[in-house]
Amino acid sequence: MFPFKTSFTLDRKISKPLYLQLSNQFIQLIKEQKLPPKTKLPGSRTLAELLNIHRKTVVASYDELILQGWIESVAKKGTFVHSNLPLLHQTEFSKSNFTSEKQKTGFFFYKNEVFTSKNIIKDEAVMYLNDGVSDGRLTPIEEIARTYRRITNKKNVFNHLGYNSPYGNEKLRGVLVNYLNETRGLQVAKENVLITRGSQMGIWLSSQLLLKKGDVIVTGETNYASATTTFKNQQAIIKIVEVDENGIVTDNIEAICKKQQIKAVYVTSHHHHPTTVTLSAERRIHLLNLSTQYNFAIIEDDYDYDFNYNHAPILPLKSHDTNGNVIYIGSVCKTVAPVFRVGYLIASKEFVDEAASRRKIVDRQGDELLELTFADFIHSGDLDRHIRKVMKIYKQRRDLFCNLFSKELNAFFQFEKPKGGMAIWAILNKKYSWKQVVKEAQKHKLIIGDFNRYDMGNLKHNGIRIGFASYTEAEIYELIFRFKKTMFAIKDSL
Amino acid sequence: MFPFKTSFTLDRKISKPLYLQLSNQFIQLIKEQKLPPKTKLPGSRTLAELLNIHRKTVVASYDELILQGWIESVAKKGTFVHSNLPLLHQTEFSKSNFTSEKQKTGFFFYKNEVFTSKNIIKDEAVMYLNDGVSDGRLTPIEEIARTYRRITNKKNVFNHLGYNSPYGNEKLRGVLVNYLNETRGLQVAKENVLITRGSQMGIWLSSQLLLKKGDVIVTGETNYASATTTFKNQQAIIKIVEVDENGIVTDNIEAICKKQQIKAVYVTSHHHHPTTVTLSAERRIHLLNLSTQYNFAIIEDDYDYDFNYNHAPILPLKSHDTNGNVIYIGSVCKTVAPVFRVGYLIASKEFVDEAASRRKIVDRQGDELLELTFADFIHSGDLDRHIRKVMKIYKQRRDLFCNLFSKELNAFFQFEKPKGGMAIWAILNKKYSWKQVVKEAQKHKLIIGDFNRYDMGNLKHNGIRIGFASYTEAEIYELIFRFKKTMFAIKDSL
């Protein structure tokens, strides 16, 4: 007979009811066919005695197993393992080593080399270079949390807890329309606004609607790597156009248009990513005219709008777009803190409607409570106050960073002090390679990251972006110090 | 000469600085070529007098325009509109009627008929049927908001405000592993967990990795409409299999496998969506064995796990998955409140890694503060307490709803009282049509919604889901009353 007494481990100390522990262990035995189909089970009184538990526990457990279809009760005969249950097959690897299940998959799936995803575990003693990100320590987290709390305390909060519009919260859409029309010269209405989780969702949605396999999109070379990755994912053909000190060369775009239909141009007009140059007025108009003449969309990713140190921000292309050709993408994540995933896509109503329906398929809706919080944060002027506050700090950091970088690392790099943004574009002298630098820097506890993403077209320009905004003055000194040690170590080894 | 005096409207009352108002209005005039290239601009003193503003304002404005490249300063000659600026072309429709821009797009983009996205404006006096959703009024919003506040008050909160892991917060991953292993019999580790924005993102990610154009996925008919839409979006071939009172008919899946390679089976094993039946133990094992034998993935969407009124929840297929074939998808949105977009996808490490990298392309990362809030909410036992509380209420509502529905509408519908979930599956007698019912119900202020989504395979079963959990007892009486008026009005008109 089956060793019922020793086959179960019941633990009164855990929160799971005993009857459930018992039935789940029965299921395990049944599916492994240690208790094969038609096996007669002991009566409830017998099993209760064997296991030293109350009879009612066994009865509840048997009831549960009958309900779930694992065992069956036959009148006047007793309780049996269900007669039709097949044996659950296990492959050899899963039998021999259960932990391997965590690694293995029993089916084929598509992998895509254009994506990488590393889970970096941070180390306090190490400094990390970044791409130009804000300093989390300056986030007005108290104001934001207070506003969030106030919103959840409202009597009508329940109206915001259910399934909501995939377009985003109505109030935030309205506040954004006023804010962007006033500050950026747009002339749009609520129906032109889709709230997203950040710029990346805007880029993805645009590429979903604009690009199918073989469609042509134009980007600069260099270009923002995540955008390029997104377009590659759509299997689009990416035509690369030169970027000079006035931004993307629109004459080259015109030359392409004369030969073939393009679907879109992706542009970071206000501080080209990664080189930080600004698209000139002449080219802005030229690009808008080309889009009208050749019927293509302009995806304008205005990630850097708020950050301008020498003069007022430059109005986006969207502010001159009277023909509905510009899809304008931005976010508050970059300005406030990346954790707050609130961004926007602004386009004609018909484009926004279609984008909203695509958005539903990956992410049913946004976070209405967070959206309400940011509607308040923008409407009250807190966002503008925050921007003014951090701009002063980032300007000081830029000046210090650029002075030190120039003074200490002049022999190794070429760079221009940027007029805006949160990063410099540092070009390493050709006699050195970033591979060397990354390797040596690690010894000095400086992590540089993936430098290849700045040269996806293999131009060998030897440049990377180095963010300055997220470091305090003391950290800037330390960072330059480590950089200097790195470069001199390389120089000495040559 | 150009009428400079009357061409500008400067307003001292708005927050935008005067010099910016002036330069933006200059830009407008220049791009419309009202001020054509090479036009000489008045000196700063002259313009200041004409406009009755300080000369410094004009100087600042000219500096700005020079920086942006709209005008140029020629030594000893003066200031001119930039000579190379092209005219910004406007199409006829944009010239004649600016508001049309909000509707029109100047380029082609792909529309997709499988998606619909309506922005429903709710009316208090009207009752809306739903698919089976929780009652927002029972959300433990105070506990959640308090936890959120506590997390944002922590000293180390700044570590959570930046760019984070696309896998989701580490703490929540750990808490979920313990919670799911203990309550649902899974045997997974942190590396098997990807935090998503809800089940829909999990379904989308799975379909991205499993399905390319022409690949085969099996679903039940009937099926959850959003899942079907997602698979169609991948241009997959959807093979439809019968669903009976024991769930999806696995013998039919086997028949398909014998003929062709399938990539995946999508299954809502614990209360089939929409018909609410439970997949039997026998079929569970059969399906798992088929997936091993024929190397396909099982996408198990366990949206209804927490809601079982008659017995303990049934362990998911994933709890028996020793071969790494089951992709397990769930969310806390459905259980707590849809506004909290926190869900999970659980699979082998290699699948999760790939899914994380795809997730980045639509949605860089989740909301770390919300994820920490839910880590706490689950770990503290608050989630379980909440479930126990609402389960009692939903059970009462189910009982009342089913009793009334049966008593008052017996002549028109066939339905079974469901053992779990938040909806019934109501089959309308064949002599009536839902089209009729929807139309008549509107007159009685009852909005039924899109009934077609329950019959995407055109089986003409005449069934729809009707949620009961979100209504109070008084609302249930009112809802059934309106339904009854609707049905008798139709009957009388026949």
Side-chain angles (χ1 to χ4, degrees), chain A residues 116-140:
Chain A
T116 54
S117 183
K118 283 179 207 146
N119 208 358
I120 298 170
I121 306 300
K122 297 232 166 175
D123 172 349
E124 289 290 326
V126 168
M127 296 193 85
Y128 298 84
L129 284 201
N130 63 53
D131 206 48
V133 300
S134 56
D135 184 348
R137 295 165 291 190
L138 300 176
T139 309

Side-chain angles (χ1 to χ4, degrees), chain A residues 31 87 102 105 289 320 348, chain B residues 31 87 105 289 320 348:
Chain A
K31 75 187 188 196
L87 174 65
K102 286 163 193 150
T105 307
N289 284 342
H320 314 308
S348 67
Chain B
K31 76 187 187 197
L87 174 69
T105 306
N289 284 342
H320 314 308
S348 67

Side-chain angles (χ1 to χ4, degrees), chain A residues 216-265:
Chain A
V216 178
I217 183 165
V218 174
T219 72
E221 176 53 48
T222 55
N223 189 42
Y224 177 48
S226 292
T228 298
T229 303
T230 309
F231 306 140
K232 277 188 185 163
N233 183 43
Q234 287 299 108
Q235 300 182 278
I237 295 167
I238 303 176
K239 290 272 174 191
I240 289 167
V241 161
E242 192 192 343
V243 176
D244 64 21
E245 66 281 6
N246 290 315
I248 195 165
V249 179
T250 48
D251 283 345
N252 295 5
I253 297 175
E254 187 167 16
I256 294 170
C257 290
K258 281 179 179 161
K259 284 189 219 145
Q260 65 187 134
Q261 175 65 44
I262 69 170
K263 299 300 297 298
V265 172

Side-chain angles (χ1 to χ4, degrees), chain A residues 241-294:
Chain A
V241 161
E242 192 192 343
V243 176
D244 64 21
E245 66 281 6
N246 290 315
I248 195 165
V249 179
T250 48
D251 283 345
N252 295 5
I253 297 175
E254 187 167 16
I256 294 170
C257 290
K258 281 179 179 161
K259 284 189 219 145
Q260 65 187 134
Q261 175 65 44
I262 69 170
K263 299 300 297 298
V265 172
Y266 171 81
V267 67
T268 45
S269 47
H270 195 242
H271 306 157
H272 181 77
H273 197 293
T275 67
T276 79
V277 298
T278 302
L279 191 64
S280 69
E282 181 191 341
R283 291 199 185 157
R284 281 166 189 260
I285 296 183
H286 190 205
L287 183 58
L288 284 163
N289 284 342
L290 288 174
S291 79
T292 305
Q293 188 180 350
Y294 294 105

Side-chain angles (χ1 to χ4, degrees), chain A residues 31 87 89 94 102 104-106 110 112 115 200 209 215 289 320 322-323 348-350 354 361, chain B residues 31 87 89 94 102 104-106 110 112 115 200 209 215 289 320 322-323 325 348-350 354 361:
Chain A
K31 75 187 188 196
L87 174 65
H89 297 298
S94 66
K102 286 163 193 150
K104 296 276 182 183
T105 307
Y110 297 104
N112 197 329
F115 306 98
Q200 183 57 40
L209 268 59
D215 283 337
N289 284 342
H320 314 308
T322 46
N323 299 333
S348 67
K349 181 179 183 300
E350 55 173 355
E354 189 69 21
I361 215 158
Chain B
K31 76 187 187 197
L87 174 69
H89 298 298
S94 66
K102 286 162 193 153
K104 296 277 180 182
T105 306
Y110 297 105
N112 199 329
F115 306 99
Q200 183 57 40
L209 268 58
D215 284 337
N289 284 342
H320 314 308
T322 47
N323 299 334
N325 286 335
S348 67
K349 181 181 182 304
E350 55 174 355
E354 189 68 19
I361 215 158

Side-chain angles (χ1 to χ4, degrees), chain B residues 279-301:
Chain B
L279 191 65
S280 69
E282 181 191 343
R283 291 200 186 157
R284 283 165 186 262
I285 295 181
H286 189 205
L287 182 58
L288 285 162
N289 284 342
L290 288 175
S291 78
T292 306
Q293 190 179 349
Y294 294 105
N295 299 304
F296 61 79
I298 298 168
I299 304 172
E300 182 179 31
D301 181 354

Side-chain angles (χ1 to χ4, degrees), chain B residues 127-386:
Chain B
M127 296 193 84
Y128 298 84
L129 284 200
N130 63 53
D131 205 45
V133 300
S134 55
D135 185 347
R137 295 164 293 190
L138 300 176
T139 309
I141 183 72
E142 277 182 46
E143 287 92 318
I144 293 170
R146 205 183 305 129
T147 307
Y148 187 89
R149 182 76 185 276
R150 193 164 46 70
I151 282 160
T152 59
N153 276 342
K154 281 190 183 167
K155 272 187 197 157
N156 70 351
V157 66
F158 299 113
N159 297 334
H160 301 294
L161 302 182
Y163 289 106
N164 297 313
S165 165
Y167 290 84
N169 174 260
E170 283 300 298
K171 193 172 165 195
L172 178 58
R173 292 172 87 198
V175 166
L176 266 178
V177 160
N178 291 339
Y179 182 75
L180 297 175
N181 285 352
E182 191 179 312
T183 60
R184 307 192 184 185
L186 308 195
Q187 289 170 289
V188 295
K190 224 190 225 184
E191 64 198 15
N192 301 117
V193 179
L194 174 72
I195 307 297
T196 65
R197 297 280 192 182
S199 298
Q200 183 57 40
M201 185 176 275
I203 297 170
W204 181 79
L205 283 169
S206 303
S207 70
Q208 277 279 304
L209 268 58
L210 291 168
L211 304 172
K212 289 200 173 174
K213 188 176 175 174
D215 284 337
V216 178
I217 181 162
V218 174
T219 72
E221 177 55 45
T222 56
N223 190 42
Y224 178 48
S226 292
T228 299
T229 303
T230 309
F231 306 140
K232 276 188 186 164
N233 183 44
Q234 287 299 108
Q235 299 182 277
I237 295 167
I238 303 176
K239 290 271 174 190
I240 289 167
V241 161
E242 190 192 344
V243 177
D244 65 19
E245 68 283 4
N246 290 315
I248 195 164
V249 179
T250 49
D251 282 346
N252 294 7
I253 298 175
E254 186 166 17
I256 294 171
C257 290
K258 281 179 178 160
K259 284 189 219 146
Q260 65 186 132
Q261 174 67 44
I262 69 170
K263 299 299 297 297
V265 172
Y266 171 82
V267 67
T268 44
S269 47
H270 194 242
H271 305 157
H272 181 77
H273 197 293
T275 65
T276 81
V277 299
T278 302
L279 191 65
S280 69
E282 181 191 343
R283 291 200 186 157
R284 283 165 186 262
I285 295 181
H286 189 205
L287 182 58
L288 285 162
N289 284 342
L290 288 175
S291 78
T292 306
Q293 190 179 349
Y294 294 105
N295 299 304
F296 61 79
I298 298 168
I299 304 172
E300 182 179 31
D301 181 354
D302 205 9
Y303 72 104
D304 231 4
Y305 179 84
D306 290 320
F307 298 97
N308 240 303
Y309 305 115
N310 296 7
H311 56 90
I314 291 176
L315 295 182
L317 287 166
K318 184 69 188 167
S319 72
H320 314 308
D321 173 38
T322 47
N323 299 334
N325 286 335
V326 179
I327 301 156
Y328 184 69
I329 290 169
S331 81
V332 298
C333 317
K334 192 114 186 164
T335 307
V336 181
V339 77
F340 299 115
R341 311 303 303 160
V342 178
Y344 43 83
L345 178 152
I346 295 182
S348 67
K349 181 181 182 304
E350 55 174 355
F351 193 85
V352 164
D353 286 344
E354 189 68 19
S357 71
R358 298 296 173 103
R359 180 248 171 89
K360 273 173 73 177
I361 215 158
V362 291
D363 178 30
R364 167 106 196 28
Q365 65 185 64
D367 181 337
E368 182 113 340
L369 297 176
L370 192 67
E371 289 173 11
L372 281 166
T373 301
F374 273 89
D376 192 288
F377 190 72
I378 296 168
H379 184 67
S380 66
D382 280 347
L383 176 64
D384 276 335
R385 273 187 290 278
H386 172 69

Side-chain angles (χ1 to χ4, degrees), chain A residues 346-365:
Chain A
I346 294 182
S348 67
K349 181 179 183 300
E350 55 173 355
F351 193 86
V352 164
D353 286 345
E354 189 69 21
S357 70
R358 298 295 174 104
R359 181 247 173 87
K360 273 173 73 177
I361 215 158
V362 292
D363 178 31
R364 169 110 195 23
Q365 66 185 65

